[in-house]
Amino acid sequence: MSDRKPLYKPDDWAGDYARDLGDPGAFPFARGVHPTMYRGKLWTMRQYAGFGTAEESNARFKHLLAAGQTGLSVAFDLPTQMGYDSDHPMAEGEVGRVGVAIDTVDDLERLFHEIPLDQVSTSMTINATAAILLSMYVVAGEEQGVPREKLEGTIQNDILKEYIARGTYIYPPEPSLRLIADIFRFTADAGMSFNPISISGYHMREAGATAVQEVAFTFANGLEYVRRALSAGLDVNQFAPRLSFFFAGYTDLFEEIAKFRGARRLWARLMKEKFNAGEAACRLRFHTQTGGATLTAQQPVNNVVRVAIQALAAVLGGTQSLHTNAFDEALALPTAQSATLALRTQQILAHETGVPDTVDPFGGSYYLEALTDQIEKEARALLDSVEARGGAARCIEAGVFQEAIAHSAYAQQQAVEAGERIVVGVNQHADDQPPPPPPGPDFRALAEAQRKRVQKARQRREQGKVRVALAELKTAAGRGGSDALMPRILEAVRVRSTLGEISDALREVWGVYRPR
């Protein structure tokens, strides 16, 4: 947002305190979703990790928990995200490269070995195969002796943003949305303390969206999910309190603080106006991750400063949980040392800065309140234009979001190349030092070991039970919206069907999505 004044005065904010701000914990929640915010409980420090094999990832999880992390966050490799087993030809060259490979529930049990699932909150960045990974988590809990209502965490499960910005979709939008509504029903009926979706603006921001586009397009997707759940017969006040969101934290400090505050107020108003939702269903609860696209391979230690500023913006904006990127992530997977430093950044914010001592400390700033109003107003106008065109699903099919983000990304890159937007160490204050070479594991050996593991898993199981479970899943998938899918997926997982086999069963019925 470039149209900012050099000075803000009292008449730059004409809002009403009760109508536009309210106390923390009170509608419209601009100042926070809880009355005491971090004075009562700090944000969850949830570092994102996933390395090749379940054993490596388990070791990193234990290291971070010992260092003071308060929640786990799992990165999965691309074959897992796309519904392919590690020995499938489509998985060649990708096994374990951007996260952990999970083929069966036994892999997930190894991932959480000696980590009691009733004592941690786990976030899983998984979308097209979210129902399968959630089922594996439930079965892993059962086999640990932990009932599903004792499990806590979040699955991303946001397929619409995959069509827009990230690309790890499998099925067409309609059956994908049916599956998401089925997950909503499953978690609500089971009484799980599990967020069934994390509606994500992060990946759109990383693809080049502006702060305003991030808010507007995220909420357009959110409204689509709410309507699909309502059409499936769910009660908004039953499922909406468990909706969670996921935003990026970038380096423009005051724009980001205002973005989070304006987003909280806008979502509350939308839920009240459109669905007459109760207060619990109007609260915008969100996770923040610092900006991966802002990290530079040149002078990578500078990223420590960027991440600290971005984390500060998220905390001042009232986030419920936070991941801070490691400074070397522009080069490779973070080392244990850099990941620990990223966690220490959050801990210093929490314990040394005094920032958590007062709720919404910038509330009432002429500048911040004017900026909050501006972001909410512009995001609402953009959201209204999406709604006028039939909502998120139709706009995705027409390429509306994709085109807008592409234009924004191009304009931002042009500004960097023209020197109008300064990136320290890249287009100003650069040096001749080449980026350090990225370290990396032996992915060939890792992939071969995982292929052998999944092949042995198929040999050990009772094949008849697998055939029956997959056949029942296909039958349910083909009946339209009348049959619940999650119980069938759970049973397929329980008898050791692989992730690829379950995904293929649904591919046979639903087909795959081909963008226009």
Side-chain angles (χ1 to χ4, degrees), residues 19-355:
R19 183 191 70 228
D20 299 315
L21 293 180
D23 290 341
F27 189 91
F29 307 109
R31 306 201 70 188
V33 292
H34 302 300
T36 59
M37 287 301 288
Y38 307 135
R39 290 182 67 91
K41 180 186 177 183
L42 289 172
W43 63 93
T44 301
M45 300 180 192
R46 189 188 297 283
Q47 293 298 106
Y48 186 48
F51 296 86
T53 67
E55 289 84 359
E56 289 177 284
S57 301
N58 177 266
R60 178 58 60 89
F61 287 161
K62 289 175 178 175
H63 168 82
L64 289 168
L65 288 169
Q69 177 175 302
T70 54
L72 300 177
S73 186
V74 187
F76 298 97
D77 72 357
L78 280 175
T80 303
Q81 295 181 53
M82 298 296 292
Y84 294 112
D85 290 331
S86 295
D87 60 349
H88 193 285
M90 288 293 289
E92 184 69 33
E94 294 292 347
V95 176
R97 284 190 177 267
V98 297
V100 62
I102 300 292
D103 293 307
T104 71
V105 68
D106 296 324
D107 290 328
L108 202 75
E109 288 173 341
R110 291 185 301 111
L111 179 65
F112 293 103
H113 182 61
E114 295 180 342
I115 298 174
L117 296 185
D118 57 348
Q119 296 179 30
V120 295
S121 170
T122 302
S123 173
M124 295 186 280
T125 301
I126 198 72
N127 296 281
T129 55
I132 304 171
L133 268 299
L134 176 60
S135 297
M136 288 182 176
Y137 198 74
V138 169
V139 172
E142 289 173 356
E143 296 182 359
Q144 262 195 18
V146 179
R148 61 189 66 171
E149 61 269 18
K150 295 287 187 183
L151 300 174
E152 293 187 3
T154 302
I155 47 171
Q156 194 163 98
N157 195 28
D158 176 7
I159 202 64
L160 291 177
K161 68 93 176 52
E162 296 296 322
Y163 301 122
I164 296 169
R166 195 163 172 269
T168 65
Y169 47 76
I170 301 174
Y171 318 111
E174 287 304 319
S176 295
L177 289 165
R178 173 193 167 188
L179 188 54
I180 287 171
D182 198 70
I183 293 170
F184 284 10
R185 182 188 294 108
F186 173 78
T187 55
D189 289 348
M192 294 179 70
S193 297
F194 221 90
N195 301 319
I197 195 167
S198 177
I199 306 164
S200 176
Y202 181 86
H203 303 94
M204 291 185 277
R205 189 68 182 277
E206 291 281 278
T210 65
V212 166
Q213 288 172 332
E214 180 187 6
V215 173
F217 295 161
T218 303
F219 287 173
N221 290 346
L223 294 178
E224 187 79 49
Y225 293 129
V226 171
R227 291 186 180 115
R228 296 303 176 118
L230 292 173
S231 68
L234 300 182
D235 179 347
V236 69
N237 291 312
Q238 183 184 23
F239 72 84
R242 297 244 43 108
L243 299 179
S244 65
F245 290 79
F246 176 21
F247 291 113
Y250 271 41
T251 319
D252 188 330
L253 182 70
F254 285 98
E255 179 178 74
E256 293 299 288
I257 301 169
K259 178 189 78 179
F260 296 131
R261 296 169 86 250
R264 206 160 32 236
R265 185 167 65 196
L266 176 56
W267 183 250
R269 288 172 168 168
L270 288 168
M271 291 297 286
K272 182 66 72 176
E273 293 166 14
K274 293 181 180 293
F275 309 111
N276 194 30
E279 280 213 354
C282 293
R283 287 188 176 93
L284 178 74
R285 299 173 307 112
F286 63 92
H287 170 73
T288 307
Q289 180 173 340
T290 57
T294 70
L295 302 178
T296 62
Q298 301 92 331
Q299 302 179 18
V301 177
N302 294 346
N303 295 328
V304 174
V305 181
R306 293 186 178 100
V307 167
I309 293 167
Q310 294 163 2
L312 177 62
V315 170
L316 290 170
T319 194
Q320 275 60 69
S321 72
L322 178 60
H323 164 90
T324 34
N325 292 326
F327 73 87
D328 52 359
E329 286 188 62
L331 301 168
L333 292 171
T335 64
Q337 182 181 20
S338 67
T340 304
L341 177 59
L343 175 60
R344 295 286 182 255
T345 303
Q346 295 197 48
Q347 292 165 335
I348 290 168
L349 276 176
H351 302 297
E352 295 188 22
T353 64
V355 167

